[in-house]
Amino acid sequence: MNVSSVKGSMSISSSTSTWKAGDTISDQFPAGLRVLVVDDDPTCLMILEKMLIACLYKVTKCNRAETALSKLRENKNGYDIVLSDVHMPDMDGFKLLEHIGLEMDLPVIMMSADDGKQVVMKGVTHGACDYLIKPVRIEALKNIWQHVVRKRKNEWKEFEQSGSVEEGDRQPKQSDDADYSSSANEGNWKGSKRRKDEEEETDERDDTSTLKKPRVVWSVELHQQFVAAVNQLGIDKAVPKKILELMNVPGLTRENVASHLQKYRLYLRRLSGVSQHQSNLSTIISAQDPTFGSLSSLSGLDLQTLAATGQLPAQSLARLQAAGLGRATAKSAIPITLVDQRNIFSFENPKLRFGEGQQQHMTNKQQVNLLHGIPTTMEPKQLVSLRHAAQSVGNMNMQVPPHGPQSSQNNPLLMQMGQQQQQQQSRGQILVDSTINHAPRLSSMGQPILSNGMATNVSSRSGIPENIRAPGYSQTPSMLNFPMNHASELPGNCFPLGSTPGVSNLTSKGAFQEDVNSEIKGSGGFMPSYDVFNDLNQYKPQSWELQNVGIAFDSSQHSNSLQGNLDLTQSALGQQGFSSGQMNGHNRSAAVASKAMFSTGNVKELRSAQNVNQHLNNLLVDNTIRVKSERVCDASPANIFPDHFGQDDLMSALLKQQESVASSENEFDFDGYSMNNIPV
Amino acid sequence: MESKHVNQQIAAMRQSFFDEEVLDEFFSQLEQLEDQNNPNFVEEVFTMYFRDSTTLLETVEQAMKTISITLAKMDKILHQLKGSSASVGANKVLNEINKTRQVLEKGNLEGTKAGIWEMRKEYDSLKAKLEPYFQLKQANSVPQEK
């Protein structure tokens, strides 16, 4: 028998293609099915083993549950199905069943001499594929392969339905992990990689025929629901079944939740391990350059966690403030923003202190009124500094995120931004939009940003990409580039967002710095920083990655190295191309970061485009915020997005920035920013 | 022939097990698993069975003597015995175990004691019957292998 080939085809974990519905299965199947049998009774174990061998299966036996688990863990793809006894001395069979379902998601068959209805029911509710009564007949064992086929088929179908968001998510996650530990370079690499992966995934999503299995798309909302459910149950007691029930999402299966939970747990573990800095976020921020990638990831994660805990907003704010929009906080801020995007929005408003009327805009969320978050106080100053741009971009992004879902995932952020921007943002939002929208959009936006009239830009947002409003962004049409490269242009605000399209929005901000002043005024784009944060927060979970990235960028940005940061973020984000280099320094980083965050994180990592947008928004927000901080302290890259979360912080940062910027920005008077009014 | 005679003897013994319902169909299943590679599979299984269940049975008997034994614990042990006895096809033993478990569920300690005593009887009887069977079988097969 060609066991190896059969096995190969049977190996569930590997090529799913084998299991595609309707796929031809090896003729030798089910021969060679890899079975793990667990039973504390040696007699039974011996008999079962013999029977399974007689069925032509490949058998591995254990007499202890712990042994079985470790065997499964060390070779995740080494088994196709597990047979377990219910009553075992070291671990309850049902507990083992749960573990396997959660960690490996393999079909499990329970066995017992006990045929009581209760026990059998328990088996069913815990997710056992089947329940065999001892003494087990060999005939019963002959058919266990059906469970393997069925499971594969279901999983594949799930993927089809939901799209491969998970994959996208997973990638960022993985990158995140790597990010944490790796230096910026890695982050960069990851970002791009993620970006690519995400793109691929997106493509594959539709193409279920590929090896990829359709995955559930863990949108921000969905993830928030998930996190809420987990928190409600308590992280230790959160089992997929209960989470599924709490979430009550049609079409979601326990397997989806289980795998997502697993990832989430890993994420939390990472967070605790990595972020020890102030609520994780700060660490991210501080990480700045080298760690952008990691930080970003952290921030993203942190944000998530934070978001989960609902602490983000506060924290973010605090952080933001604390960081002085310093990068450190920025990071956290960003993550928070991302995480709590939703929350942040509300949260943002306070931040908007700046008196923005925009905050109100923000409420529109839709438009990512980044400006919302960005208290119009950003005003002239902010505007001036590209930061605003960045922020607005961020805001825009952020705002976009709310729409996120709307925009078709790809650049939901951008789009949103654009949409929002138009409304509100005319301010820097546009920047955001543009950046967020990935470059393509940017092009359209690019102009808006470009300067001068942020307001104009903002208004031009309509095209979203254009949202970049470039109120000041005008500098660079490149703003649209987001690749913040323009950073140089931006007086400091240049958030090198230039990176990815979405991100670039942020950058444009930076670029705007010069123009910003003028632009910001009208466009309130600067405000975006606040908004951005808000948005960022909004985007949360998904933009974890982004956040981190953004934040990372920001912090790093601070020093003209923004670009670098952005790059990092970008790489982290994978896409965003913040060519933060632009930022003249402060803002750039922020802008870049946010962009990077968005772009990189968003693009790829965001499970869906939405996420990206979110991230972007977040980034933008961050950026904007940072911008402010940057402005204020030029050197405070860290400030860039100290905390997306803390819109307030952002606002203050923005304000500060604005003040520091003092350049014409004062004209901007963000208060009236409510995007609509871009007091140019 | 001597071997033929022994074979007949073995077959007769085997049949008696079924007739007396000492063993049931699951024993046949085990026999089916025997092949050239594992000529003594059934014996090996029973060796293992006897080893473990002896311990279990003794534990149960001890437990009955102890005052502080909990019924749940008893049930657990009996459950184990049930599983393995059923798997090897030890029919009568299994029946006694089931009876005892039912009595135990009702909380009848005395009844449980009696049940366990019956279990022990059947168990020893099975062992006594199968051991010579296997020995004979083993002896018979050896010359053939030569």
Side-chain angles (χ1 to χ4, degrees):
Chain A
M1 129 184 43
N2 191 357
V3 177
S4 52
S5 64
V6 171
K7 259 204 288 195
S9 58
M10 296 200 304
S11 60
I12 301 171
S13 51
S14 45
S15 60
T16 50
S17 50
T18 6
W19 288 103
K20 295 229 242 337
D23 246 31
T24 47
I25 294 177
S26 165
D27 291 338
Q28 291 171 347
F29 180 79
L33 195 73
R34 294 160 308 168
V35 184
L36 178 69
V37 55
V38 190
D39 195 332
D40 63 321
D41 184 344
T43 311
C44 290
L45 200 59
M46 193 189 207
I47 297 173
L48 285 168
E49 186 194 25
K50 199 70 179 54
M51 284 184 178
L52 291 166
I53 290 175
C55 295
L56 302 181
Y57 296 153
K58 183 165 179 294
V59 187
T60 309
K61 61 176 182 190
C62 309
N63 64 351
R64 295 197 68 233
E66 293 293 346
T67 320
L69 260 182
S70 58
K71 275 197 189 195
L72 285 167
R73 280 175 185 147
E74 50 179 82
N75 190 1
K76 286 208 174 188
N77 305 334
Y79 302 98
D80 297 312
I81 190 165
V82 179
L83 256 66
S84 172
D85 187 38
V86 168
H87 299 278
M88 289 190 286
D90 61 335
M91 190 194 288
D92 184 32
F94 296 117
K95 200 130 188 283
L96 177 66
L97 167 63
E98 266 180 24
H99 275 292
I100 296 176
L102 189 63
E103 295 179 30
M104 293 108 207
D105 205 21
L106 286 176
V108 181
I109 294 179
M110 302 304 290
M111 303 179 291
S112 180
D114 196 348
D115 59 353
K117 187 175 140 199
Q118 304 287 44
V119 186
V120 179
M121 181 64 88
K122 213 173 164 198
V124 171
T125 54
H126 279 70
C129 292
D130 203 352
Y131 191 102
L132 302 176
I133 310 291
K134 284 188 188 173
V136 179
R137 306 184 78 95
I138 191 168
E139 292 81 36
L141 294 178
K142 283 217 172 92
N143 286 337
I144 61 173
W145 58 266
Q146 64 175 293
H147 302 293
V148 174
V149 177
R150 191 177 297 122
K151 200 167 183 95
R152 285 289 121 206
K153 191 158 169 279
N154 287 342
E155 279 178 359
W156 193 71
K157 225 190 292 178
E158 282 167 16
F159 287 148
E160 278 174 335
Q161 288 164 4
S162 50
S164 51
V165 171
E166 279 190 356
E167 276 187 301
D169 292 332
R170 274 204 212 139
Q171 289 189 337
K173 268 240 208 139
Q174 290 162 359
S175 327
D176 289 341
D177 289 339
D179 287 338
Y180 292 118
S181 49
S182 64
S183 57
N185 295 334
E186 287 186 10
N188 292 327
W189 174 83
K190 269 202 266 238
S192 46
K193 184 176 186 292
R194 277 204 288 249
R195 196 180 356 187
K196 250 191 310 186
D197 292 338
E198 240 184 333
E199 291 166 353
E200 291 170 354
E201 289 172 356
T202 319
D203 297 334
E204 291 181 341
R205 220 180 305 181
D206 304 329
D207 173 29
T208 47
S209 56
T210 58
L211 297 178
K212 270 210 299 225
K213 287 193 263 193
R215 288 175 208 256
V216 167
V217 174
W218 281 93
S219 65
V220 176
E221 297 90 87
L222 200 60
H223 180 79
Q224 278 179 338
Q225 272 181 289
F226 169 85
V227 172
V230 168
N231 290 335
Q232 197 175 327
L233 294 167
I235 191 66
D236 295 325
K237 297 205 184 72
V239 286
K241 250 191 322 272
K242 294 204 182 113
I243 296 173
L244 187 63
E245 285 164 18
L246 276 176
M247 284 176 73
N248 196 21
V249 172
L252 194 65
T253 71
R254 190 199 74 87
E255 282 84 13
N256 299 142
V257 175
S259 65
H260 190 70
L261 177 65
Q262 178 185 353
K263 287 189 240 163
Y264 185 66
R265 285 207 176 121
L266 290 172
Y267 161 81
L268 292 178
R269 240 176 271 157
R270 271 202 306 269
L271 283 182
S272 54
V274 178
S275 66
Q276 308 311 339
H277 307 301
Q278 335 162 348
S279 50
N280 307 331
L281 295 175
S282 46
T283 49
I284 301 180
I285 303 183
S286 44
Q288 308 176 13
D289 310 310
T291 51
F292 276 140
S294 51
L295 287 177
S296 310
S297 44
L298 276 179
S299 21
L301 293 177
D302 291 335
L303 288 177
Q304 285 264 328
T305 329
L306 291 173
T309 55
Q311 300 166 0
L312 289 176
Q315 290 177 348
S316 49
L317 286 176
R319 263 200 280 223
L320 288 172
Q321 293 171 344
L325 300 184
R327 292 199 279 219
T329 37
K331 293 257 179 89
S332 44
I334 304 185
I336 300 181
T337 29
L338 291 177
V339 177
D340 284 350
Q341 286 175 352
R342 310 235 190 201
N343 302 332
I344 306 241
F345 260 128
S346 49
F347 167 76
E348 290 176 344
N349 289 326
K351 289 204 276 188
L352 293 178
R353 307 195 288 247
F354 294 153
E356 342 187 297
Q358 298 153 10
Q359 293 197 346
Q360 291 112 39
H361 303 299
M362 298 292 288
T363 49
N364 295 333
K365 302 267 186 90
Q366 302 182 336
Q367 302 222 327
V368 193
N369 297 305
L370 294 178
L371 296 181
H372 289 320
I374 308 182
T376 40
T377 53
M378 296 221 348
E379 315 186 337
K381 289 197 202 171
Q382 308 197 343
L383 291 176
V384 179
S385 47
L386 293 177
R387 298 196 226 191
H388 297 302
Q391 293 177 347
S392 47
V393 172
N395 291 334
M396 304 210 299
N397 292 328
M398 299 221 314
Q399 304 199 342
V400 173
H403 293 300
Q406 324 170 328
S407 22
S408 43
Q409 312 188 334
N410 292 317
N411 287 312
L413 286 179
L414 287 178
M415 301 215 8
Q416 294 177 345
M417 306 253 312
Q419 296 168 7
Q420 298 183 348
Q421 297 192 333
Q422 296 191 336
Q423 301 168 14
Q424 336 168 344
Q425 299 280 346
S426 53
R427 318 191 262 189
Q429 298 271 340
I430 304 190
L431 290 180
V432 174
D433 290 331
S434 43
T435 46
I436 303 193
N437 293 321
H438 309 305
R441 299 237 225 156
L442 296 177
S443 48
S444 53
M445 300 204 6
Q447 295 95 44
I449 313 189
L450 308 176
S451 53
N452 317 302
M454 296 243 326
T456 52
N457 294 327
V458 174
S459 43
S460 52
R461 285 204 299 192
S462 51
I464 305 185
E466 316 236 335
N467 294 321
I468 311 214
R469 307 233 243 172
Y473 308 119
S474 56
Q475 292 208 354
T476 50
S478 56
M479 288 279 307
L480 297 184
N481 317 309
F482 300 134
M484 312 268 301
N485 298 307
H486 300 302
S488 53
E489 303 183 316
L490 299 175
N493 287 327
C494 316
F495 296 103
L497 295 177
S499 50
T500 57
V503 174
S504 40
N505 287 327
L506 292 177
T507 48
S508 8
K509 291 210 223 165
F512 287 16
Q513 290 193 339
E514 298 170 347
D515 300 314
V516 174
N517 298 326
S518 51
E519 321 235 75
I520 298 184
K521 303 194 195 170
S523 54
F526 286 106
M527 296 298 303
S529 50
Y530 293 107
D531 296 323
V532 172
F533 282 101
N534 292 329
D535 292 329
L536 291 177
N537 292 330
Q538 319 262 337
Y539 294 107
K540 85 164 312 167
Q542 315 221 345
S543 47
W544 297 342
E545 278 97 17
L546 285 176
Q547 292 181 344
N548 295 326
V549 174
I551 302 189
F553 288 122
D554 291 334
S555 29
S556 46
Q557 302 279 343
H558 300 315
S559 40
N560 300 319
S561 54
L562 290 178
Q563 297 190 342
N565 296 335
L566 287 179
D567 294 330
L568 288 180
T569 35
Q570 294 193 348
S571 47
L573 293 179
Q575 308 138 17
Q576 310 257 341
F578 291 116
S579 38
S580 44
Q582 313 290 339
M583 311 258 302
N584 289 322
H586 331 302
N587 300 328
R588 296 220 256 171
S589 45
V592 174
S594 35
K595 284 223 301 214
M597 295 216 334
F598 286 119
S599 47
T600 52
N602 294 327
V603 180
K604 300 275 204 189
E605 321 246 89
L606 293 179
R607 317 252 193 140
S608 49
Q610 297 177 0
N611 295 330
V612 173
N613 289 334
Q614 292 175 352
H615 289 302
L616 285 177
N617 287 339
N618 292 333
L619 287 175
L620 288 175
V621 170
D622 289 340
N623 289 331
T624 47
I625 301 189
R626 296 212 207 184
V627 175
K628 292 205 290 198
S629 48
E630 300 237 286
R631 282 212 188 212
V632 188
C633 40
D634 281 355
S636 57
N639 298 331
I640 299 203
F641 286 97
D643 295 307
H644 291 284
F645 324 112
Q647 295 226 341
D648 293 323
D649 295 334
L650 289 174
M651 301 283 289
S652 48
L654 284 170
L655 288 172
K656 280 198 226 163
Q657 290 179 348
Q658 288 181 344
E659 292 169 356
S660 56
V661 174
S663 21
S664 51
E665 296 174 335
N666 292 309
E667 308 170 349
F668 292 110
D669 184 17
F670 290 86
D671 295 344
Y673 273 67
S674 38
M675 302 295 290
N676 300 322
N677 322 317
I678 298 187
V680 181
Chain B
M1 292 290 162
E2 201 180 29
S3 86
K4 193 173 175 203
H5 174 69
V6 169
N7 276 343
Q8 279 177 351
Q9 204 177 345
I10 293 171
M13 274 177 94
R14 183 176 167 280
Q15 193 53 45
S16 73
F17 294 148
F18 288 112
D19 294 340
E20 291 169 25
E21 290 184 357
V22 169
L23 296 176
D24 60 19
E25 58 195 333
F26 285 99
F27 185 81
S28 312
Q29 283 215 10
L30 291 184
E31 286 180 320
Q32 281 171 26
L33 293 174
E34 244 180 22
D35 54 22
Q36 291 201 342
N37 295 335
N38 292 63
N40 298 323
F41 177 68
V42 183
E43 187 184 353
E44 283 167 21
V45 172
F46 268 91
T47 307
M48 212 180 260
Y49 169 69
F50 287 136
R51 189 183 64 211
D52 291 339
S53 18
T54 303
T55 315
L56 284 174
L57 203 51
E58 279 168 6
T59 310
V60 161
E61 287 168 341
Q62 268 303 320
M64 282 314 293
K65 294 189 191 135
T66 322
I67 304 169
S68 60
I69 191 73
T70 60
L71 294 183
K73 200 166 170 217
M74 283 277 292
D75 190 62
K76 203 156 175 264
I77 300 171
L78 288 177
H79 177 85
Q80 269 180 286
L81 265 173
K82 179 185 172 183
S84 36
S85 302
S87 298
V88 301
N91 192 40
K92 281 198 170 163
V93 177
L94 183 64
N95 290 341
E96 291 305 322
I97 294 174
N98 282 336
K99 278 193 219 158
T100 309
R101 280 185 90 213
Q102 279 173 7
V103 172
L104 182 66
E105 258 174 62
K106 295 193 186 121
N108 185 350
L109 262 184
E110 278 306 314
T112 310
K113 263 195 199 160
I116 290 173
W117 189 78
E118 288 290 329
M119 272 164 59
R120 168 57 86 178
K121 232 176 56 168
E122 290 302 332
Y123 181 79
D124 290 340
S125 159
L126 176 73
K127 210 166 171 191
K129 287 185 173 150
L130 281 177
E131 267 170 3
Y133 170 76
F134 284 129
Q135 278 173 3
L136 206 55
K137 194 155 170 285
Q138 181 88 283
N140 200 33
S141 64
V142 169
Q144 284 165 6
E145 283 164 5
K146 276 195 211 154

